[in-house]
């Protein structure tokens, strides 16, 4: 059974007259040993991370990508967690 979680964060400063909003979600698929996280914020930064457990080994593979449309920057990478 898939499990979906969502969240919204709102920050405002009357002193600086600034505000920001961020939206994030997490989707867990236990049958596939997958966890997917994503986010979008008011500065147009979009990110996503996919984690895959690799049984029977005690390893988790993570793939991530982040893009900031205003700064025209893109970052991606991968990781391996042991444990």
């Amino acid at each position: 059974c898939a499990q979906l979680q969502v969240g919204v964060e709102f920050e405002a400063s009357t002193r600086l007259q600034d505000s920001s909003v961020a939206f994030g979600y997490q989707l867990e698929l236990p049958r596939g040993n997958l966890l997917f996280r994503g986010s979008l914020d008011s500065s147009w930064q979009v990110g996503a991370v996919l984690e895959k457990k690799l049984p029977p080994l005690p390893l988790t593979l993570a793939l991530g990508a982040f893009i900031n449309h205003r700064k025209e920057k893109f970052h991606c990478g991968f990781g391996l967690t042991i444990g």
Side-chain angles (χ1 to χ4, degrees):
C1 180
Q3 182 180 14
L4 176 66
Q5 298 175 10
V6 294
V8 176
E9 180 181 274
F10 174 74
E11 291 183 37
S13 171
T14 55
R15 185 174 58 89
L16 299 175
Q17 295 183 345
D18 189 30
S19 63
S20 66
V21 177
F23 169 78
Y25 61 93
Q26 176 174 299
L27 176 63
E28 185 174 359
L29 302 170
R31 285 187 180 178
N33 293 317
L34 285 171
L35 180 65
F36 184 74
R37 293 186 190 116
S39 64
L40 168 68
D41 66 23
S42 55
S43 66
W44 293 105
Q45 179 152 323
V46 180
V49 175
L50 174 68
E51 293 183 4
K52 168 75 172 155
K53 292 182 182 177
L54 304 171
L57 302 172
L59 299 174
T60 301
L61 176 66
L63 305 171
F66 298 88
I67 187 167
N68 188 320
H69 291 283
R70 283 191 179 165
K71 296 181 181 178
E72 297 181 358
K73 290 187 177 181
F74 175 73
H75 300 279
C76 66
F78 67 94
L80 192 62
T81 304
I82 300 170

